[in-house]
């Protein structure tokens, strides 16, 4: 059996952690408060950091910036797709009243269909993955603080 790629494996781990966190919040009835979703960025960031670290170790400690970025963004996108699928299932089948509970938190008269809610969750996941990967890759970017790098500054 072929081993899973690093981004796929870590994407699955990130998704499991996100789902577990969401279900933990739902036990206490806190999953209807969007403020708690800020911790999703911490979970995603930690998973992407570990994915890039594992990818770097697999490549012997050196890799191109683009390859590391691709590994991180792929892990985040895999996690987002899996979590969005779970969220759609949870909202439509497991707890159909969740959509109404979540929308009433904003005290609005708008009708938000389930598709728009799921699309928003996916969009937030993709954006978080992109931004967090950009931030984490700064740790792995090669420095220009060398004698060769100083030749290219003013």
């Amino acid at each position: 059996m072929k081993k899973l790629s690093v981004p796929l494996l870590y994407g699955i781990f990130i998704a499991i952690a996100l789902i577990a966190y969401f279900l933990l919040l739902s036990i206490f009835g806190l999953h209807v408060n969007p403020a708690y979703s800020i911790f999703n960025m911490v979970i995603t960031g930690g998973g992407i950091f570990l994915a890039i670290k594992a990818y770097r170790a697999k490549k012997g400690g050196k890799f191109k910036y683009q390859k590391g970025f691709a590994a991180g963004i792929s892990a985040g996108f895999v996690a987002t797709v899996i979590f969005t699928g779970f969220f759609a299932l949870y909202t439509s089948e497991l707890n159909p009243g969740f959509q109404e509970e979540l929308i009433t938190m904003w005290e609005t008269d708008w009708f938000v269909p389930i598709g728009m809610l799921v699309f928003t969750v996916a969009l937030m996941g993709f954006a978080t993955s992109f931004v967090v990967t950009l931030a984490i890759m700064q740790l792995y970017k090669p420095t220009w603080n060398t004698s060769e790098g100083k030749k290219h500054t003013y």
Side-chain angles (χ1 to χ4, degrees):
M1 185 169 155
K2 187 177 177 184
K3 293 172 86 174
L4 293 176
S5 69
V6 170
L8 182 62
L9 181 66
Y10 279 86
I12 293 169
F13 287 150
I14 294 167
I16 290 170
L18 289 171
I19 292 168
Y21 175 64
F22 181 82
L23 292 175
L24 180 68
L25 286 177
S26 70
I27 290 171
F28 298 108
L30 300 173
H31 64 309
V32 295
N33 190 341
Y36 289 105
S37 68
I38 194 74
F39 193 67
N40 289 354
M41 186 172 62
V42 174
I43 294 170
T44 303
I48 289 173
F49 175 78
L50 293 174
I52 294 171
K53 186 176 176 183
Y55 181 79
R56 181 180 181 199
K58 184 178 177 182
K59 295 296 179 184
K62 293 206 60 119
F63 61 89
K64 290 187 177 200
Y65 181 91
Q66 295 85 349
K67 298 289 186 178
F69 182 81
I73 200 101
S74 298
F77 280 17
V78 166
T80 298
V81 168
I82 293 171
F83 180 75
T84 302
F86 162 77
F87 186 81
L89 179 70
Y90 181 86
T91 304
S92 64
E93 302 297 327
L94 301 177
N95 188 0
F98 172 71
Q99 176 186 0
E100 193 61 37
E101 291 176 51
L102 183 64
I103 299 304
T104 57
M105 288 294 296
W106 292 320
E107 298 179 11
T108 181
D109 293 331
W110 293 352
F111 171 72
V112 179
I114 191 168
M116 183 60 81
L117 186 61
V118 171
F119 175 73
T120 302
V121 168
L123 193 61
M124 287 172 37
F126 291 137
T128 299
S129 298
F130 184 75
V131 170
V132 166
T133 302
L134 280 174
I136 290 172
M137 280 306 296
Q138 298 307 307
L139 299 171
Y140 295 106
K141 188 168 69 172
T143 182
W144 279 30
N145 294 331
T146 62
S147 58
E148 179 63 28
K150 289 180 182 176
K151 292 179 187 176
H152 302 288
T153 60
Y154 294 110

